[in-house]
Amino acid sequence: MNRIFLIGYMGSGKSTIGKLLAEKLGYSFIDMDTHIEEKHFKTVSQIFAEKGETEFRLLEQQCLHEVAEFENVVISTGGGAPCFFDNMHYMNTHGLTIYLKFTAAELAKRLEASQANKRPLLANLKGRELQQFIAHGLSKRELFYKQASHSFSGDVGETVVGIYKLISNQ
Ligand code: S3P
């Protein structure tokens, strides 16, 4: 399969792993959020603030259909992308889906340190509140994430090597 979709909650390392994996495979790398921002000349936060989440999800689906035209590519999806419309089914029929799986506590620790202004859904959330928000979101989103063909939970290096081996053996 020459098209790989990395899926998972915010903070699961999709972009970091995606870039390294693409380099190792000699594939291109596409980050869906970056693709949306460059196409619409607005940050994801601006789109949420000006047009709302419903409009963002439509732009995100459109972006998914565009990037799924590429071959030999690793695509890092937005954390919510698999959970709207038929996006998860679409990805499963257009490439290999990989879920980067972490607990709410692990994600909260990573996200606490990241820039909140880049993630409108997490703006103003910290500590216990942040962890509770993630736990609640994850419990709903896992229904979709679990439809991925494979899942990985290790550190960045282990995950890149694991996915690389998986693809090389196909
Ligand atoms: C979102 C995740 C973000 C971005 C947007 C919404 C989500 O991407 O698409 O802020 O609903 O989980 P990352 O997962 O790359 O942070």
Side-chain angles (χ1 to χ4, degrees):
M1 186 65 79
N2 62 7
R3 192 177 300 116
I4 299 157
F5 294 100
L6 298 180
I7 69 164
Y9 202 80
M10 291 174 268
S12 56
K14 300 175 297 269
S15 304
T16 307
I17 290 166
K19 274 182 211 151
L20 293 168
L21 179 65
E23 206 173 298
K24 203 168 164 67
L25 287 165
Y27 283 14
S28 315
F29 170 70
I30 300 176
D31 179 289
M32 276 183 40
D33 284 339
T34 307
H35 184 88
I36 294 169
E37 291 180 337
E38 288 175 356
K39 183 171 175 194
H40 299 281
F41 302 102
K42 284 181 196 296
T43 64
V44 168
S45 293
Q46 279 173 323
I47 299 172
F48 264 76
E50 292 170 16
K51 301 187 172 177
E53 181 172 352
T54 306
E55 179 64 20
F56 174 77
R57 297 302 172 194
L58 288 168
L59 300 179
E60 185 176 56
Q61 185 190 33
Q62 198 180 69
C63 166
L64 177 63
H65 292 186
E66 283 166 11
V67 300
E69 295 278 324
F70 287 88
E71 307 254 328
N72 302 323
V73 67
V74 178
I75 298 160
S76 156
T77 64
C83 316
F84 290 84
F85 312 110
D86 68 342
N87 293 351
M88 193 63 218
H89 174 73
Y90 188 87
M91 289 189 270
N92 273 328
T93 51
H94 286 77
L96 184 74
T97 49
I98 311 259
Y99 172 32
L100 304 179
K101 182 176 163 59
F102 295 96
T103 63
E106 287 166 329
L107 293 166
K109 206 167 146 192
R110 289 158 175 245
L111 287 163
E112 190 86 63
S114 77
Q115 296 156 290
N117 64 348
K118 278 186 68 186
R119 294 191 165 101
L121 294 177
L122 304 180
N124 307 320
L125 291 174
K126 282 199 174 68
R128 208 179 149 71
E129 238 188 7
L130 176 64
Q131 191 170 327
Q132 278 170 352
F133 179 89
I134 296 171
H136 181 67
L138 203 53
S139 70
K140 293 201 279 184
R141 288 184 171 187
E142 277 213 310
L143 274 170
F144 298 93
Y145 294 158
K146 283 183 172 165
Q147 293 170 35
S149 306
H150 300 274
S151 72
F152 286 84
S153 305
D155 67 23
V156 172
E158 285 165 1
T159 302
V160 171
V161 171
I163 303 173
Y164 181 79
K165 282 189 185 156
L166 184 72
I167 289 156
S168 308
N169 290 334
Q170 276 189 345

